[in-house]
């Protein structure tokens, strides 16, 4: 293993440790039983099958949104539209679930396809505005999030709301649309397989095909892309469609995998988490899986901590913030890296 | 429909547009400065929230609205400084850092509020102070104009002064020149001895101060208490306004006003009985349309040029 | 003991990607001298200069300034010490005016605002003293490369530099401008300035430098009095072998016309003609050179031919097809290669790997693809081959291009463009910033392509290069062709200079030959 | 503090957990339920724990399972978790559950569920608003228009609206009601803007059912010299010390005593009298919901107070029955809103 890779591992490890120490210090101040608190936060998610299941369940949508966002980021598009797509595609999937009754396999496929299709259309629009008129994708995507939420909430409230439950929830979906649970004792569903498969395909697409090459080069230097003869407009559109399809798939999979009705009364936040995941993963598809699992793990750990101890649930956010800050600090431990590089250079002489 | 236009073309409507715009404008100007220095501050939403609480806490414990305001600004400054430390010194990705600040603010404000008041919802039990509304001498007596311009919260006037201040800073002063150079070509700035760390830090800190003012406006001007999540997406709207304004002071100001007006309009439209879910999208739809018109025109102009 | 103003002892620099750019460099600078630093691409010259200018910190080693041990923590410190630097790659803020770029970091003030009047005065004074013509109110992004270079020099001078570091300043200058610069440098020297001069052109080193330090692979090979050395000797130390500075170009038969430019005119934003009535033909197996001082329309001409600009008048034919309707991609597919002038913004994706940059013009080809997917083995093999045959100094093909030295980045571009056996090669300043050995290699590649029946259009500000390589030659002045030479041997540098400056001009008929004679 | 795995230390102590499908600080159900839990802890000496499950409903089930597997005696939750709670309750028949607020009548044998007739108290609020706007009170205008500020267009909020409109119409069949929804519960500035728009459109008294957003209405009332009605808790008390002028504008609040209800239920559980398996509607008659009768209310004109008293009696006696939004389609609600729009 080369120095840089080894360093990355050491750095991540130390960063997590330090942020945990800071977290511990805060916990010490806020809790009467800091040790068990820490236990619940760090260890307990891995102590029960059910908890590990929770981690994976939570990671599934994060993988989708992280993947979608990293494709956009790689293309040089700062598009945060996955959030709105997640919400609306989820709603569409639930409508398919409510309105249709198909044989077991076609029903979820139809729901996912419709979700993806919606994602593709939305992202295509954002990408088109960007490519054609250079309209800020950040602004448009943020606005689209709110717009689709508003429209979705309207559709839900006026057409699909079940008046016989207390929240603004849709009618129950037909069971045929639900994704199968694949690991007994957990709620992990076939969405996991779809997610992993998607990661693999996206990896191949980005790093092993000419279209992926075009996306990455355009993202790194648009002028180079143009110079090379790439149709940068087309490239942006392809990347947007792909990202939209994945985000839409994520929304649909989450709803038919984890819910029996459509229950989101606000934007679910899973799409925004995609930006976080993409950054932590440095936009690399493979890393997305680990970043998603990592984030899911600390969130479940924090939930358990809040559930089992006297630590208020807000601590979750504080700890998350600290961990993100340290882990992403590139210069963190730079001195150590230089020393080991120097040693390596000396050894080679 | 008549009554609808009656409500739009009133001084009340313009007055409320200015009020709605104020917090957005503060944050958008903050976003502008930090963006110009090449370190976008995604944490504005969280910083506003923390400052809103900071203002309430400082004013409640000192009994002075002014100290409360200083407190809010200080909280903004410190949060931005922490963000700056991580992004400049430890090279944390600036976007990630901003996301982290937002997370921290979400949890931290409620944590502190609970610690201080035993309540996770509002600070209304704290005797916090408010910043005064100001009647402008002479102007207040001018018909219509007086109704629109006079009688705003003092921070609204601060915001207006800051528009000019930021323009002056960026376009007339050495600091502004350096901020822009660092944002556009940091190597160039470095090569003439500009301390890019210092400039970036300054820009970040200023953006924090501005967001701090925005936060203070929310909890000490708009209403007189802090309540959880009260920045309610204004930090994000501000980022959008800055991006829409294409990094110019004038553009940022106009975009902020567009957001403010659209929001004020949506409040008024509620009276028409349109489903509230659909009304809620009006400001965003207006933005998309405005932005597209602008972008299309711009593209045409550029095409002509080539 | 000599009176050294600056001494570097055992400098070692390790970049954080593991590259050791300077292994052990020793260097002494005498007050008042012009000291050349030469070495191959990637030898570590720029790195050493960045250390001197406080932009990089040495990993180990010592710096003595006027005999006292010093740390140069940042450029502000260097500037304060009276060190100025003109960088190999421009250090300018594109959206600023020249004036704003020049005063950045030392802004004259009136109250709290910048005193632009004073700034303009300061700059005008300086311009007068050094006779470098620039308009302080122009936007930097609109400037030609040569112009930018001048601004860079003025920037350093404005800061009152006593020690002036020039990292390949002449790479982008025309011969006339170079001469002008040399006059300035000599004047500066007389006024007591000390100058460090980096160049790959040993002729220039011979003509103005007092001493020369040769760096090779991060090590100092020695410092010599220039008067004691011949060009060949210096280059021997540098490269370790003899470099033949002449080309053995056999006579070549011109083939059919591959590129035809007919009555081409192009208007700028203000409606003035930047190109007017350009006519020429480029034939298979021929190298057509375009000489001319920068800013006389060459850039626009190449932009049009390569498909980057469309709203021109007249016609450009690639083979039989008019390029008006062709996209850049389609033009490339026809078999056009293009070595762009601005390698950093157009030529490479800096943050991508060497390997990824090398396949930019053939990633779609069936050779590198297995059906839908890339054939990674072939891509790796191809990249390894190119890197070794073009002698790119790098760690491996998965190094990011941004961490290569300037000359090596150029080699990447040349390797990519020349290795596909193009029908037409457009080469803009192909050896800018490339060391003697590599320049020679690139020249030979271009000649080889010609021999293999490629049509080459060569734009070069380096007259020497233009004359050495070209079969035929066009001279451009103010957007027009003012001279055409069927055979370069018909003319000489002296005469070309007159055409380039617009002093002399051929008749219409003579110029028409450029299109008719094929 | 609670650690559900260590059960030996306190065999006899009653252990009560409250699972909140959201977060505290809503100034509504959840805060009120939590206040009830505090009472249980203080007055009944029980070991208590409140768990904020957040808004991500996929996390509710794991929490329910965890808590149900722990050694808690009573698990309290409700509102949006009703369906889930009923399912879980069937899986853990030995556990006891209290649903603090649901209109769903189906109740497993080990669940005790409660329902507050918020429509009844908002009927009173509507009547009060109607009486105020048609009165000669200082800040009342000549227009007979009242306002309603909802957090979102949801059944829970609309249940208030339905009662409010009916109550207002009882006093004045011609009354007009301006209805606004803020779209969220945490933006007081938005609440204030919506309030100002209402007050500028002829409204002189408005009723907020919008959590933190709704508090902005109080500011609007203060600034525009008009009246407001609070919700859930006696909201005048929020400002009584910090801002008495604002408090004065709040003529009353529609209070829902979830805290008392929870306390009573747990007390009955201890006495072994709690009727599990039943759904209990609690309204004005049970004093589970009421108008806050604080010093500001006392200052109202005597006729108004008399009328309210009279209407209260009629509700208690069943002479007046109030409609509800639960189980009603969105179009029907829309029609109702249209019918009173000015
Ligand atoms: N060389 C100069 N001499 C004098 N004044 C100058 C010079 N360059 C810029 N300025 C001043 O700086 C100001 C800003 O110019 P610039 O073109 O940067 O505006 P801008 O970025 O479009 O402004 P804004 O951000 O407010 O929209 C101008 O008002 C001009 O007076
Ligand atoms: N910022 C950097 N990070 C990592 N490596 C670098 C960096 N800059 C230069 N290098 C490496 O250091 C070595 C020396 O580079 P340097 O730019 O000093 O060469 P040079 O002698 O100036 O070459 P040229 O004549 O091509 O300009 C090269 O191998 C280059 O790849
Ligand atoms: Mg160099
Ligand atoms: Mg009235």
């Amino acid at each position: 293993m080369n120095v840089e890779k080894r360093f990355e591992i050491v750095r991540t490890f130390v960063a997590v440790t330090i942020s945990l120490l800071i977290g511990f210090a805060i916990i010490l101040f806020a809790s009467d039983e800091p040790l068990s608190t820490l236990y619940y936060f760090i260890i307990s998610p891995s102590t029960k099958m059910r908890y590990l299941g929770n981690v994976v369940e939570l990671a599934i949508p994060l993988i989708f949104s992280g993947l979608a966002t990293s494709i956009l980021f790689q293309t040089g598009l700062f598009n945060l539209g996955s959030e709105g797509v997640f919400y609306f595609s989820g709603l569409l999937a639930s409508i398919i679930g409510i309105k249709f009754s198909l044989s077991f396999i076609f029903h979820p496929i139809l729901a996912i396809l419709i979700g993806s299709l919606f994602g593709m259309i939305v992202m295509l629009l954002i990408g088109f505005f960007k490519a054609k008129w250079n309209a800020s994708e950040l602004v448009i995507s943020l606005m689209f999030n709110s717009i689709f939420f508003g429209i979705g909430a309207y559709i839900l409230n006026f057409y699909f709301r079940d008046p016989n439950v207390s929240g603004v929830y849709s009618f129950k979906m037909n069971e045929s649309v639900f994704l199968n649970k694949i690991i007994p004792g957990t709620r992990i569903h076939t969405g996991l397989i779809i997610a992993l498969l998607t990661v693999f395909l996206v990896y191949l697409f980005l790093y092993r095909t000419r279209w992926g090459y075009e996306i990455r080069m355009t993202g790194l230097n648009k002028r180079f892309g143009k110079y090379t003869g790439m149709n940068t407009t087309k490239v942006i559109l392809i990347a947007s469609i792909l990202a939209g399809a994945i985000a839409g798939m994520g929304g649909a999979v989450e709803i038919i995998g984890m819910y029996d009705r459509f229950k989101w009364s606000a934007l679910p936040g899973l799409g925004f988490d995609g930006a976080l995941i993409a950054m932590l993963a440095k936009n690399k598809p493979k890393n997305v899986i680990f970043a998603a699992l990592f984030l899911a793990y600390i969130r479940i750990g924090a939930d358990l901590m809040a559930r089992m101890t006297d630590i208020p649930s807000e601590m979750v956010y504080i700890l998350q913030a600290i961990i993100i800050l340290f882990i992403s600090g590139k210069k963190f431990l730079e001195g150590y890296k230089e020393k080991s590089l120097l040693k390596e250079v000396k050894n080679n002489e | 429909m008549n009554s609808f236009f009656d409500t739009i073309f009133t001084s009340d409507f313009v007055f409320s547009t200015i009020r709605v715009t104020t917090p957005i404008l503060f944050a958008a100007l903050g976003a502008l400065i930090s963006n110009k220095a090449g370190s976008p501050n995604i944490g504005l939403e969280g910083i506003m929230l923390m400052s809103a609480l900071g203002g309430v806490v400082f004013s409640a414990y000192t009994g002075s609205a002014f100290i409360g305001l200083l407190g809010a600004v200080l909280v903004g400054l410190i949060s931005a400084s922490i963000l700056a430390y991580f992004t400049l010194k430890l090279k944390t990705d600036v976007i990630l850092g901003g996301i982290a600040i937002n997370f921290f603010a979400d949890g931290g404000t409620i944590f502190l509020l609970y610690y201080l008041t035993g309540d996770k919802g509002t600070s209304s039990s704290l005797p916090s102070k408010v910043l005064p509304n100001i009647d402008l001498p002479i102007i207040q007596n001018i018909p219509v104009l007086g109704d629109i311009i006079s009688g705003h919260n003092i921070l609204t006037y601060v915001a207006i002064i800051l528009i000019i201040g930021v323009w002056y800073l960026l376009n007339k002063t050495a600091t502004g020149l350096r901020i822009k150079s660092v944002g556009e070509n940091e190597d160039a700035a470095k090569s003439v001895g500009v301390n890019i760390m210092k400039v970036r830090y300054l820009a970040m800190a200023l953006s924090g101060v501005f967001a701090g003012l925005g936060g203070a406006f929310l909890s000490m001007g708009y209403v007189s208490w802090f309540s959880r999540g009260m920045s309610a997406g204004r930090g994000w709207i501000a980022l959008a306004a800055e991006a829409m304004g294409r990094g110019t002071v004038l553009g940022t100001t106009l975009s902020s006003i567009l957001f403010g007006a659209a929001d004020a309009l949506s409040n008024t439209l509620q009276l028409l009985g349109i489903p509230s879910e659909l009304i809620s999208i009006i400001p965003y739809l207006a933005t998309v349309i405005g932005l597209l018109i602008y972008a299309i025109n711009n593209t045409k102009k550029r095409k002509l040029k080539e | 003991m000599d009176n050294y103003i600056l001494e570097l002892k055992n400098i070692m620099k390790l970049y954080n990607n593991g590259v050791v750019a300077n292994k052990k460099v020793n260097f002494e600078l005498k007050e008042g001298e012009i000291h050349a630093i030469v070495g191959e691409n990637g030898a570590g010259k720029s790195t050493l200069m960045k250390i001197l200018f406080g932009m990089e910190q040495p990993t180990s080693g010592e710096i003595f300034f006027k005999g006292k041990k010093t740390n140069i923590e940042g450029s502000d410190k260097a500037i304060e010490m009276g060190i100025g630097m003109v960088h190999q790659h421009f250090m300018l803020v594109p959206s600023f005016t020249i004036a704003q770029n020049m005063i950045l970091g030392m802004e004259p003030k009136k109250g709290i605002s910048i005193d632009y009047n004073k700034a303009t005065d300061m700059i005008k004074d300086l311009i007068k003293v050094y006779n470098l013509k620039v308009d302080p109110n122009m936007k930097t992004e609109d400037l030609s490369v040569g112009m930018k270079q001048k601004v860079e020099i003025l920037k350093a001078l404005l800061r009152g530099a006593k020690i002036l570091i020039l990292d390949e300043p002449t790479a982008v200058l025309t011969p006339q401008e170079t001469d002008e610069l040399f006059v300035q440098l000599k004047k500066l020297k007389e006024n007591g300035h000390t100058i460090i001069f980096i160049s790959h052109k040993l002729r220039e080193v011979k003509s103005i430098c007092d001493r020369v330090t040769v760096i090779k692979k991060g090590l100092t090979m020695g410092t010599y009095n220039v008067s004691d050395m011949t060009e060949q000797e210096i280059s021997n130390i540098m490269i370790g072998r003899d470099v033949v500075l002449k080309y053995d170009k056999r006579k070549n038969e011109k083939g059919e016309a591959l590129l035809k430019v007919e009555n081409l005119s192009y208007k700028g934003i203000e409606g003035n003609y930047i190109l007017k009535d350009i006519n020429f033909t480029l034939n298979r197996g021929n190298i057509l050179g375009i000489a001319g001082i920068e800013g006389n329309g060459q850039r626009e001409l190449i932009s049009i031919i390569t498909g980057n600009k469309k709203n021109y008048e007249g016609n450009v034919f690639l083979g039989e097809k008019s390029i008006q309707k062709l996209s850049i991609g389609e033009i490339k597919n026809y078999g056009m290669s293009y070595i762009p002038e601005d390698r950093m913004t157009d030529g490479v994706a800096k943050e991508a790997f060497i390997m990824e940059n090398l396949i930019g013009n053939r990633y779609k080809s069936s050779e590198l693809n297995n059906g839908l997917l890339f054939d990674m083995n072939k891509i790796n093999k191809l990249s390894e081959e190119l890197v070794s045959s073009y002698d790119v100094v790098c760690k491996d093909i998965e190094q990011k291009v941004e961490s290569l030295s300037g000359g090596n980045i150029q080699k990447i571009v040349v390797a990519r463009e020349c290795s596909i056996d193009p029908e037409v090669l457009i080469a803009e300043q192909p050896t800018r910033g490339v060391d003697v050995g590599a320049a020679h290699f690139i020249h030979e590649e271009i000649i080889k392509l010609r021999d293999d029946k490629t049509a080459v259009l060569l734009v070069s500000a380096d007259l020497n290069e233009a004359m050495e390589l070209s079969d035929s030659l066009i001279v451009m002045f103010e957007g027009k062709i003012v001279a055409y030479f069927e055979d370069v041997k018909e003319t000489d540098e002296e005469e070309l200079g007159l055409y380039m400056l617009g002093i002399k001009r051929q008749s219409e008929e003579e110029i028409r030959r450029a299109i008719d004679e094929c | 503090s609670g650690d559900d795995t260590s059960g030996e230390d306190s065999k006899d102590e009653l252990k009560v957990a409250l699972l909140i499908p959201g977060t505290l600080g809503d100034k509504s159900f959840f805060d009120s339920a939590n206040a009830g839990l505090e009472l249980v802890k203080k007055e009944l000496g029980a070991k208590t724990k409140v768990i904020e499950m957040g808004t991500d409903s996929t996390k509710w089930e794991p929490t329910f399972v965890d808590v149900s597997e722990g050694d808690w005696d009573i698990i309290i939750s409700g509102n949006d978790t009703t369906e889930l709670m009923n399912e879980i309750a069937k899986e853990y028949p030995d556990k006891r559950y209290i649903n603090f607020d649901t209109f769903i009548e189906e109740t497993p044998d080990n669940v005790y569920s409660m329902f507050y007739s918020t429509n009844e108290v908002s009927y009173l609020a509507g009547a009060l608003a109607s009486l105020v706007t048609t009165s000669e009170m200082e800040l009342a205008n000549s227009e007979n228009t009242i306002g309603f500020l909802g957090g979102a267009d949801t059944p829970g909020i609309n249940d208030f609206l339905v009662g409010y409109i009916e109550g207002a119409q009882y006093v004045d069949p011609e009354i007009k009601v301006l209805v606004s929804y803020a779209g969220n519960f945490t933006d007081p500035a938005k609440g204030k803007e919506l309030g100002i728009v209402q007050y500028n459109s002829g409204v002189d008294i408005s009723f907020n059912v919008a959590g933190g957003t709704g508090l902005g209405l109080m500011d609007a009332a203060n600034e525009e010299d008009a009246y407001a009605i609070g919700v859930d808790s006696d909201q005048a008390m929020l400002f009584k010390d910090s801002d008495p002028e604002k408090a004065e504008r709040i003529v009353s609040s529609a209070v829902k005593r979830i805290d008392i209800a929870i306390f009573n239920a747990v007390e009955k559980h201890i006495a072994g009298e709690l009727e599990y398996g039943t759904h209990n509607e609690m309204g004005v008659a049970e004093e589970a919901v009421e108008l806050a009768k604080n010093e500001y209310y006392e200052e109202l004109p005597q006729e108004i107070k008399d009328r309210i008293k009279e209407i209260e009696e009629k509700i208690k006696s069943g002479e007046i029955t109030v409609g509800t939004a639960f189980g009603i389609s969105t179009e029907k609600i829309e029609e109702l809103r249209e019918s009173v729009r000015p």
Side-chain angles (χ1 to χ4, degrees), chain C residues 15 17 19 21 41-47 88 168 200 403-407:
Chain C
Y15 280 113
N17 61 351
V19 172
N41 293 131
K45 305 179 293 292
S46 296
T47 301
Q88 184 169 8
E168 300 191 34
H200 290 293
S403 63
L404 292 179
S405 78

Side-chain angles (χ1 to χ4, degrees), chain C residues 148-408:
Chain C
K148 286 180 184 165
Q149 183 66 262
K150 283 186 199 166
V151 175
E152 289 281 23
I153 295 172
L154 284 173
K155 240 171 76 182
L157 293 175
L158 190 65
R159 282 165 179 70
K162 297 302 280 179
I163 300 173
L164 197 58
I165 302 168
L166 301 166
D167 193 353
E168 300 191 34
T170 56
V172 292
L173 297 185
T174 60
Q176 287 79 3
E177 287 168 325
T178 303
D179 290 343
E180 267 177 51
L181 175 68
F182 287 174
V183 173
Q184 297 311 327
L185 294 185
K186 282 182 184 141
K187 205 171 186 186
L188 285 166
K189 179 182 158 186
E190 278 162 27
N191 292 345
H193 287 74
T194 309
I195 295 166
I196 301 175
F197 179 84
I198 298 178
S199 175
H200 290 293
K201 297 173 189 156
L202 299 180
R203 203 157 44 101
E204 296 174 354
V205 171
K206 278 295 282 178
S207 83
I208 59 158
C209 297
D210 302 307
R211 299 198 302 158
V212 54
T213 295
V214 182
I215 298 184
K216 186 174 175 183
K217 299 205 165 100
L219 294 168
T220 17
M221 305 305 290
T223 300
Y224 313 91
N225 285 324
V226 170
S227 48
D228 302 343
M229 309 281 285
T230 64
E231 280 181 46
Q232 197 63 53
E233 280 168 331
I234 299 174
S235 124
N236 272 344
I237 300 169
M238 215 168 96
I239 300 171
R241 62 184 154 85
D242 281 344
V243 177
V244 191
L245 295 172
K246 282 280 168 211
Y247 302 101
D248 174 28
K249 228 169 70 182
R250 65 191 155 80
K251 190 95 178 122
N252 205 24
E253 273 309 304
K254 274 197 211 172
E256 78 272 23
L258 291 183
L259 182 78
K260 231 181 184 148
V261 176
E262 285 180 6
N263 306 322
L264 178 70
S265 295
Y266 176 75
K267 268 192 213 156
I269 309 166
E270 280 101 37
N272 55 326
Y273 279 102
I274 293 180
L275 292 173
K276 182 81 184 147
D277 236 354
I278 303 283
N279 287 289
F280 66 84
T281 307
L282 181 64
N283 300 73
R284 198 184 276 290
N286 190 35
I287 301 177
L288 175 64
I290 299 183
I293 297 172
E294 255 179 82
N296 278 290
Q298 300 95 318
R299 214 172 1 151
E300 288 74 12
L301 175 63
I302 299 300
S303 271
I304 291 168
I305 292 174
T306 52
N308 281 292
K309 279 193 162 64
K310 289 286 179 205
N311 49 342
Y312 54 85
E313 300 159 23
N315 282 311
V316 179
F317 294 102
L318 198 53
E320 300 295 308
K321 269 199 199 133
S322 160
I323 66 161
Q324 182 66 260
K325 292 257 144 42
L326 299 183
S327 71
I328 298 176
E330 285 163 332
I331 291 174
K332 292 234 149 183
N333 284 344
Y334 176 85
M336 180 188 283
S337 271
Y338 173 34
I339 300 170
E341 172 181 22
D342 192 343
R343 60 182 171 234
M344 294 308 267
T345 50
D346 292 329
V348 294
K350 285 189 293 186
E351 290 148 86
F353 294 147
I354 292 177
M355 170 186 86
E356 293 168 329
N357 273 286
L358 283 173
I359 60 169
N361 54 355
R362 72 197 80 178
Y363 64 93
K364 285 183 194 159
S365 83
S366 55
E367 265 166 57
L368 297 184
N369 285 280
N370 263 338
L372 286 177
L373 298 183
F374 277 156
D375 184 336
M376 291 316 284
N377 286 335
K378 285 212 185 115
I379 289 179
N380 286 335
K381 199 163 144 253
L382 172 80
S383 307
E384 299 281 7
E385 273 169 21
L386 287 177
V387 161
S388 80
S389 66
Y390 282 79
D391 206 15
V392 178
V393 181
C394 63
K395 251 172 53 177
D396 54 43
I397 55 169
E398 295 203 354
Q399 187 179 345
K400 288 186 178 173
V401 162
E402 65 189 341
S403 63
L404 292 179
S405 78
N408 280 306

Side-chain angles (χ1 to χ4, degrees), chain D residues 79-217:
Chain D
N79 203 248
D80 288 352
T81 58
T82 302
E83 274 189 312
L84 174 66
M85 178 145 101
N86 288 350
E87 270 171 39
I88 295 275
K90 286 176 203 154
E91 279 171 41
Y92 297 90
D94 299 338
K95 292 277 166 191
R96 291 290 171 267
Y97 298 84
I98 295 176
N99 190 325
F100 65 72
D101 186 15
T102 180
F103 70 94
I104 294 172
E105 292 179 8
E106 181 222 328
T107 310
D109 290 343
N110 53 342
V111 177
Y112 173 82
S113 74
M114 302 188 278
F115 177 61
Y116 309 85
S117 309
T118 42
N119 52 344
E120 289 184 6
V121 67
S122 40
Y123 190 93
L124 291 173
L128 175 63
S130 201
L131 288 167
V132 168
T133 192
T134 52
S135 74
E136 300 292 310
M137 282 173 68
E138 196 191 336
L139 304 179
N141 61 17
S142 58
E143 281 174 64
N144 295 343
T145 308
I146 59 176
F148 179 88
L149 171 61
D153 188 359
T154 67
I157 300 295
N158 285 332
D159 197 39
F160 280 92
L161 178 67
V162 170
Y164 185 69
I165 292 176
E166 287 185 4
Q169 284 174 331
Y170 178 81
V171 171
D172 174 5
E174 298 299 308
I175 196 88
K176 297 295 173 201
V177 186
L178 270 184
V179 182
S180 316
Y181 296 96
N184 76 48
F185 291 87
T186 60
D187 190 350
K190 179 91 181 169
K192 180 174 178 179
E193 287 297 336
L194 288 168
I196 289 175
V197 169
Q198 287 192 353
Y199 291 130
N200 281 335
S201 310
V203 169
D204 46 14
I205 182 165
S206 186
F207 178 34
N208 91 79
V209 191
T213 301
L215 293 180
L217 182 72

Side-chain angles (χ1 to χ4, degrees), chain B residues 16 20 75-76 86 108 141 167 207 289:
Chain B
S16 82
V20 176
V75 169
F86 274 95
N141 299 323
W167 180 86
S207 80
I289 293 168

